[in-house]
Amino acid sequence: MTIHRVGVALEPAYDIHIGAGALDLVPEMLSERRRVAIVSQSAIADLYLDSIRSGLANSEVFLIGDGEEAKSLSTVEGLCRNFAEFGLLRGDVVVALGGGVVGDTAGFAASVYYRGVDVLQVPTSLLAQVDAAIGGKTAVNIPEGKNLVGAFHQPIAVAVDTDTLASLSPREYRSGLGEIAKYALISDFGISGTGLIELLNNSTDLVLARDPAVLADLVAMCCEIKAQVVAADPYERTGIRATLNLGHTLAHALETRGGYELTHGEAVSIGLIFAVELAEAAGRISAETAKRYCSVASSLGLPLEVPGGSEVKAEDLLAIMRRDKKASGGLTFVLPGKDGLQLVDDPPTDALAYAFRCVGVGG
Ligand SMILES: NC(=O)c1ccc[n+]([C@@H]2O[C@H](COP(=O)([O-])OP(=O)(O)OC[C@H]3O[C@@H](n4cnc5c(N)ncnc54)[C@H](O)[C@@H]3O)[C@@H](O)[C@H]2O)c1
């Protein structure tokens, strides 16, 4: 098996191991650990637990629920109590086997149990493989907001088995493609220059067909971009890491407003189109660049417009965006431009109106 290795240059540094069959590497990675607490969800455990567990001497499995409701403080308390009953000590390790919900919740539990035990991230959804499992952000939700309680807790390593993507539902796969479209735009604006946009353009059919070789390359390119950004700004203090929120200002507003049948990645896809059109209308990028990018999103089958957008008032979405936790007062967007991706405050009203029209809001 060919395994790509991408380093995350932090202190301590860690590696992301990417490729078909990477699950088989997990027992060897943990061979020195006395106890291994594996956190997963039942559907994922049924499919993938045996591959890692059969090679581990002393492991226990703790299942959590599905969906955002499971990302809660009560789940974290339950896990910590499970860990204590199992006898997990500071030198032992937690394995997060699942999508972003498992990764964020198990990662946060590991960050607080015994004031911090090691965690190995083993992401199984496309979104978690290219994004959530890398960079050490862990969090759970409280009724007042999503991801409001969390910690930075870097994993000891990330094992990304792209074979697990074969069992992902078409919707969840498309959701991951939304984040990949984000990386295409990020790499196009000079953060990394990995050739991602060319791969997406030249191999669209293979990407959509989940071709194993193309998937391994695609995921590795995205991990490379995320690793570079995280290493440059591990605690999201300089604004570099905030560029990963490209497309997320509108996406979060759509998710907060609710009432759409959109996954996170689909909302991000619409948010990216909005950001690109806003950048064009504000004179930051050419019409040709905006068009080239929009064609990548459309060839991946991602939504380009807000469903039922003609019934939605731009002002309602703007009000939600002004409350966005990343905003420094007014409205803040990550936008492409000739100097790369930048945080831009309060873009011109007519440019905003144009961008809303481009994503079908307000008729
Ligand atoms: N920490 C970060 O930096 C970061 C970044 C982005 C997103 N996130 C978080 O990630 C979460 C979303 O992650 P997600 O999209 O993976 O959602 P998810 O974890 O809910 O997974 C989606 C669904 O797919 C299932 N699934 C996962 N892998 C599967 C597989 N291989 N085969 C079959 N089914 C599988 C899950 O059980 C679930 O039902 C959100 O809570 C978001 O806040 C975190």
Side-chain angles (χ1 to χ4, degrees):
M1 75 182 150
T2 308
I3 297 290
H4 300 261
R5 212 169 66 192
V6 172
V8 185
L10 291 171
E11 191 55 58
Y14 61 92
D15 284 332
I16 311 166
H17 307 262
I18 307 141
L23 280 181
D24 298 339
L25 303 174
V26 171
E28 200 186 313
M29 285 176 179
L30 302 180
S31 60
E32 309 280 299
R33 304 293 179 140
R34 289 188 33 199
R35 287 175 207 80
V36 180
I38 304 170
V39 179
S40 194
Q41 289 166 331
S42 65
I44 298 168
D46 286 349
L47 291 167
Y48 302 114
L49 193 58
D50 284 350
S51 315
I52 56 178
R53 206 176 177 198
S54 53
L56 295 172
N58 187 8
S59 68
E60 202 55 69
V61 182
F62 305 108
L63 300 178
I64 66 168
D66 203 6
E68 286 298 313
E69 310 79 59
K71 255 181 74 166
S72 68
L73 283 169
S74 66
T75 305
V76 170
E77 182 184 356
L79 284 175
C80 290
R81 293 182 67 182
N82 291 152
F83 297 163
E85 279 162 28
F86 176 41
L88 202 75
L89 299 175
R90 191 171 282 133
D92 299 331
V93 65
V94 171
V95 174
L97 174 70
V101 164
V102 169
D104 277 12
T105 311
F108 182 54
S111 81
V112 290
Y113 181 75
Y114 255 97
R115 299 188 183 84
V117 293
D118 286 345
V119 62
L120 173 71
Q121 292 283 353
V122 187
T124 59
S125 71
L126 184 57
L127 186 137
Q129 294 192 348
V130 298
D131 192 2
I134 307 156
K137 272 195 188 178
T138 72
V140 294
N141 307 322
I142 55 176
E144 287 71 19
K146 201 171 173 279
N147 294 330
L148 276 192
V149 180
F152 284 97
H153 189 58
Q154 299 294 340
I156 52 166
V158 186
V160 178
D161 191 336
T162 44
D163 276 352
T164 63
L165 300 175
S167 57
L168 205 59
S169 72
R171 278 211 88 193
E172 294 301 341
Y173 186 70
R174 194 164 55 241
S175 182
L177 289 178
E179 291 291 345
I180 287 176
K182 175 189 82 177
Y183 286 119
L185 193 56
I186 291 177
S187 68
D188 218 24
F189 279 88
I191 282 191
S192 168
T194 54
L196 177 58
I197 217 157
E198 291 78 9
L199 178 75
L200 290 172
N201 278 332
N202 298 338
S203 310
T204 313
D205 291 346
L206 294 172
V207 171
L208 294 175
R210 309 188 198 185
D211 175 84
V214 170
L215 268 185
D217 286 346
L218 182 66
V219 172
M221 284 177 183
C222 295
C223 290
E224 178 70 50
I225 297 170
K226 175 114 190 206
Q228 281 192 34
V229 176
V230 165
D233 182 15
Y235 296 104
E236 204 167 316
R237 284 188 185 138
T238 67
I240 295 174
R241 190 162 176 167
T243 58
L244 293 171
N245 291 322
L246 180 64
H248 283 60
T249 313
L250 179 64
H252 285 152
L254 293 171
E255 288 172 324
T256 305
R257 183 184 179 275
Y260 306 105
E261 289 289 304
L262 292 172
T263 60
H264 178 67
E266 289 169 338
V268 168
S269 165
I270 300 166
L272 289 167
I273 302 292
F274 181 83
V276 164
E277 300 291 4
L278 181 56
E280 185 204 332
R284 296 175 57 86
I285 59 171
S286 68
E288 189 196 333
T289 305
K291 199 166 151 217
R292 187 162 69 94
Y293 172 72
C294 293
S295 75
V296 171
S298 102
S299 62
L300 289 175
L302 291 165
L304 310 177
E305 293 193 351
V306 176
S310 58
E311 306 298 318
V312 179
K313 288 199 186 85
E315 199 41 58
D316 292 348
L317 293 172
L318 285 169
I320 299 171
M321 288 186 216
R322 285 194 190 95
R323 295 201 304 264
D324 190 300
K325 67 180 190 291
K326 284 168 288 300
S328 50
L331 281 169
T332 303
F333 295 92
V334 179
L335 296 183
K338 66 176 172 26
D339 297 320
L341 294 168
Q342 289 175 323
L343 288 172
V344 176
D345 290 329
D346 299 316
T349 312
D350 56 341
L352 281 167
Y354 172 80
F356 273 119
R357 281 199 300 281
C358 289
V359 295
V361 168

